[in-house]
């Protein structure tokens, strides 16, 4: 009995430092100070509040790598570690605010050769519940400090199981582009997916436009439906084959009562009463036949046929 007591006391004393580090504000400050010290300036954190075991936030984070410098104004983390006893990693929130990535000039001779993509085999030891992941105000600057890309908001909520990935919500908003969707992707052999959502587009020579899309089927042959709902009514139905190996696509386009002036900037009124196109290609080239009937100015009856 006395030996058991000593073993329990030794176990408590060995776990006590860990409990202090993960369960107190002081422990979080100790970890931050240690990282700032041993990283040699590669990682610095200005301030920290909270506890590692539940929730915390970091401010003024800087990360220096060979390829880029990263600055993060705020980082938030919240999770439920007790869920690990149920074989779940339950992350309540993982978020950043004001993330800036400054790319550094690279040596072209050291750039690697693109390798064929193999869909990764994901084996999740636990179920991942990511209830909120968000990036707000993201800016990517090139090596000359010019703005290369900007994301106003990226938010997702997902669940990763051993056999599937469930996307409860995916929202991407940039100044000229927006996408929202939900769905699931199988992690079995055929990697089938079933997603649907909406999109918006502004700029790029177009008036503000919005529409919907859906995609389904095995990753080797995905059925895709894309619709432009405003300002026109255009539907594209097609199939994408060998997405990660040698991607090709075929599609049918149908539209009715399209006023090109409402869709494309600086275009005169051109009314297409009916349009049909049969097209195919890859991600670099396309070809097809488009037939349209409509009118333009003094030409009341236009019949257009074009190989593109």
């Amino acid at each position: 009995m006395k030996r058991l007591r000593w073993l329990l006391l030794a176990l408590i004393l060995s776990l006590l430092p860990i409990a202090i580090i993960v369960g107190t504000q002081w422990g979080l400050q100790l970890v931050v100070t240690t990282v700032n010290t041993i990283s040699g300036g590669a990682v610095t954190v200005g301030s920290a509040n909270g506890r590692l075991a539940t929730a915390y936030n970091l401010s003024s984070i800087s990360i220096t790598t060979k390829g880029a410098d990263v600055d993060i104004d705020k980082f938030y983390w919240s999770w439920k570690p007790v869920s690990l006893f149920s074989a779940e990693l339950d992350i309540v929130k993982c978020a950043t605010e004001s993330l800036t990535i400054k790319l550094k000039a690279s040596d072209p001779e050291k750039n690697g050769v693109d390798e064929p993509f193999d869909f990764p085999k994901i084996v999740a030891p636990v179920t991942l519940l990511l209830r909120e992941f968000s990036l707000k105000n993201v800016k990517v600057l090139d090596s000359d400090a010019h703005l290369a890309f900007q994301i106003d908001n990226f938010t997702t909520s997902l669940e990763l199981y051993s056999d599937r990935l469930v996307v409860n919500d995916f929202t991407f908003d940039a100044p000229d582009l927006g996408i929202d969707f939900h769905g699931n992707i199988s992690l079995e052999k055929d990697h089938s997916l079933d997603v649907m959502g909406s999109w918006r587009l502004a700029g790029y020579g177009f008036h503000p436009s919005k529409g919907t899309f859906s995609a389904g089927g095995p990753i080797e042959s995905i059925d895709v439906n894309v619709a432009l709902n405003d300002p026109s009514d255009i539907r594209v139905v097609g199939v994408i084959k060998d997405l990660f190996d040698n991607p090709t696509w075929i599609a049918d386009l149908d539209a009715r009562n399209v006023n090109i002036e409402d869709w494309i900037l600086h275009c005169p009124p051109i009314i297409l009463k009916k349009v049909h196109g049969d097209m195919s290609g890859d991600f670099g080239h396309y070809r097809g036949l488009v037939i349209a009937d409509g009118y333009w100015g003094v030409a009341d009856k236009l019949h257009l046929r074009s190989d593109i």
Side-chain angles (χ1 to χ4, degrees), residues 135 137-138 149-154 171-180 200-204:
L135 305 173
N137 190 22
V138 179
F149 192 71
Q150 179 176 340
I151 301 173
D152 297 328
N153 177 52
F154 168 65
T171 300
F172 176 93
D173 284 312
D176 297 324
L177 178 66
I179 299 174
D180 293 273
R200 67 168 183 84
L201 180 68
Y204 305 103

Coordinates of all heavy atoms in Angstrom, one line a residue, residues 135 137-138 149-154 171-180 200-204:
L135 N -9.9 32.9 -42.2 CA -8.8 33.8 -42.6 C -9.5 35.1 -43.0 O -10.3 35.1 -44.0 CB -7.9 33.2 -43.6 CG -7.3 31.9 -43.4 CD1 -6.6 31.4 -44.7 CD2 -6.4 31.9 -42.2
N137 N -8.9 39.2 -44.2 CA -8.0 40.2 -44.6 C -6.6 39.7 -44.9 O -5.7 40.0 -44.3 CB -7.9 41.4 -43.6 CG -7.2 42.6 -44.2 OD1 -7.1 42.8 -45.4 ND2 -6.7 43.4 -43.3
V138 N -6.6 38.8 -45.9 CA -5.3 38.1 -46.3 C -4.8 38.9 -47.5 O -5.5 39.1 -48.5 CB -5.6 36.7 -46.7 CG1 -4.2 36.0 -47.1 CG2 -6.2 35.9 -45.5
F149 N -2.4 39.3 -54.6 CA -3.6 38.7 -54.4 C -4.2 39.1 -53.0 O -3.4 39.4 -52.1 CB -3.5 37.1 -54.4 CG -4.7 36.4 -54.5 CD1 -5.5 36.4 -55.7 CD2 -5.2 35.7 -53.4 CE1 -6.7 35.7 -55.7 CE2 -6.4 35.0 -53.5 CZ -7.1 35.0 -54.7
Q150 N -5.5 39.1 -52.9 CA -6.2 39.5 -51.7 C -7.4 38.7 -51.4 O -8.2 38.4 -52.4 CB -6.5 41.0 -51.8 CG -7.3 41.5 -50.5 CD -7.5 43.0 -50.6 OE1 -6.9 43.7 -51.3 NE2 -8.5 43.5 -49.7
I151 N -7.6 38.3 -50.2 CA -8.8 37.5 -49.8 C -9.4 38.3 -48.7 O -8.8 38.6 -47.6 CB -8.4 36.1 -49.3 CG1 -7.7 35.3 -50.4 CG2 -9.7 35.4 -48.8 CD1 -7.2 34.0 -49.9
D152 N -10.7 38.7 -48.9 CA -11.4 39.4 -47.8 C -11.8 38.5 -46.7 O -11.7 38.8 -45.5 CB -12.6 40.2 -48.4 CG -12.3 41.2 -49.4 OD1 -11.2 41.8 -49.3 OD2 -13.0 41.4 -50.3
N153 N -12.3 37.3 -47.0 CA -12.7 36.4 -46.0 C -12.7 35.0 -46.6 O -13.2 34.7 -47.7 CB -14.2 36.7 -45.6 CG -14.7 35.8 -44.6 OD1 -14.1 35.5 -43.6 ND2 -15.9 35.2 -44.9
F154 N -12.2 34.1 -45.8 CA -12.2 32.6 -46.1 C -12.7 31.9 -44.9 O -12.0 32.0 -43.8 CB -10.9 32.1 -46.6 CG -10.8 30.6 -46.7 CD1 -11.7 29.9 -47.6 CD2 -10.0 29.9 -45.9 CE1 -11.6 28.5 -47.6 CE2 -10.0 28.5 -45.9 CZ -10.8 27.8 -46.8
T171 N -16.8 29.2 -47.6 CA -17.1 30.6 -48.1 C -15.7 31.3 -48.4 O -14.8 31.3 -47.6 CB -17.8 31.4 -47.1 OG1 -19.1 30.8 -46.8 CG2 -18.0 32.9 -47.6
F172 N -15.6 31.7 -49.7 CA -14.4 32.4 -50.1 C -14.9 33.7 -50.8 O -15.7 33.7 -51.7 CB -13.7 31.6 -51.2 CG -12.5 32.2 -51.8 CD1 -11.2 32.1 -51.2 CD2 -12.6 33.0 -52.9 CE1 -10.1 32.7 -51.8 CE2 -11.5 33.7 -53.5 CZ -10.2 33.5 -52.9
D173 N -14.4 34.9 -50.2 CA -14.7 36.2 -50.8 C -13.4 37.0 -51.0 O -12.6 37.2 -50.1 CB -15.6 37.0 -49.8 CG -17.0 36.5 -49.8 OD1 -17.6 36.3 -50.9 OD2 -17.6 36.2 -48.7
A174 N -13.3 37.4 -52.3 CA -12.2 38.2 -52.7 C -12.8 39.4 -53.4 O -14.0 39.4 -53.6 CB -11.2 37.5 -53.7
P175 N -12.1 40.5 -53.7 CA -12.7 41.7 -54.2 C -13.5 41.4 -55.5 O -14.6 42.0 -55.7 CB -11.5 42.6 -54.5 CG -10.5 42.2 -53.5 CD -10.7 40.8 -53.3
D176 N -13.1 40.5 -56.4 CA -13.7 40.3 -57.7 C -14.3 38.9 -57.8 O -14.8 38.5 -58.9 CB -12.7 40.6 -58.8 CG -12.3 42.0 -58.9 OD1 -13.1 42.9 -58.5 OD2 -11.1 42.2 -59.2
L177 N -14.2 38.1 -56.7 CA -14.7 36.7 -56.9 C -15.2 36.2 -55.5 O -14.7 36.5 -54.5 CB -13.5 35.8 -57.3 CG -13.7 34.3 -57.4 CD1 -14.7 34.0 -58.6 CD2 -12.4 33.6 -57.7
G178 N -16.3 35.4 -55.6 CA -16.8 34.8 -54.4 C -17.4 33.4 -54.7 O -18.0 33.2 -55.7
I179 N -17.2 32.5 -53.7 CA -17.7 31.1 -53.9 C -18.2 30.6 -52.5 O -17.6 30.9 -51.5 CB -16.5 30.2 -54.3 CG1 -16.0 30.6 -55.7 CG2 -17.1 28.7 -54.4 CD1 -14.8 29.8 -56.1
D180 N -19.4 30.0 -52.6 CA -19.9 29.4 -51.4 C -20.4 28.0 -51.8 O -21.1 27.8 -52.8 CB -21.2 30.1 -50.9 CG -20.8 31.5 -50.3 OD1 -20.4 31.6 -49.1 OD2 -20.9 32.5 -51.1
R200 N -20.0 34.3 -57.5 CA -20.2 35.6 -58.0 C -18.9 36.1 -58.6 O -17.8 35.6 -58.3 CB -20.6 36.6 -56.8 CG -19.5 36.8 -55.8 CD -19.8 38.0 -54.9 NE -18.7 38.2 -54.0 CZ -17.6 38.9 -54.3 NH1 -17.5 39.5 -55.5 NH2 -16.6 39.1 -53.4
L201 N -19.1 37.0 -59.6 CA -17.9 37.5 -60.3 C -18.1 39.0 -60.6 O -19.2 39.4 -61.0 CB -17.7 36.7 -61.6 CG -16.6 37.1 -62.6 CD1 -15.3 36.7 -61.9 CD2 -16.7 36.4 -63.9
A202 N -17.1 39.7 -60.4 CA -17.1 41.2 -60.7 C -15.7 41.5 -61.3 O -14.7 40.9 -60.9 CB -17.4 42.0 -59.5
G203 N -15.6 42.5 -62.2 CA -14.4 42.8 -62.8 C -14.0 41.9 -63.9 O -14.9 41.2 -64.5
Y204 N -12.8 41.8 -64.3 CA -12.3 41.0 -65.4 C -13.1 41.3 -66.7 O -13.2 40.5 -67.6 CB -12.5 39.5 -65.1 CG -11.8 39.0 -63.8 CD1 -12.6 38.8 -62.7 CD2 -10.4 38.9 -63.8 CE1 -12.0 38.4 -61.5 CE2 -9.8 38.5 -62.6 CZ -10.6 38.2 -61.5 OH -10.0 37.9 -60.3

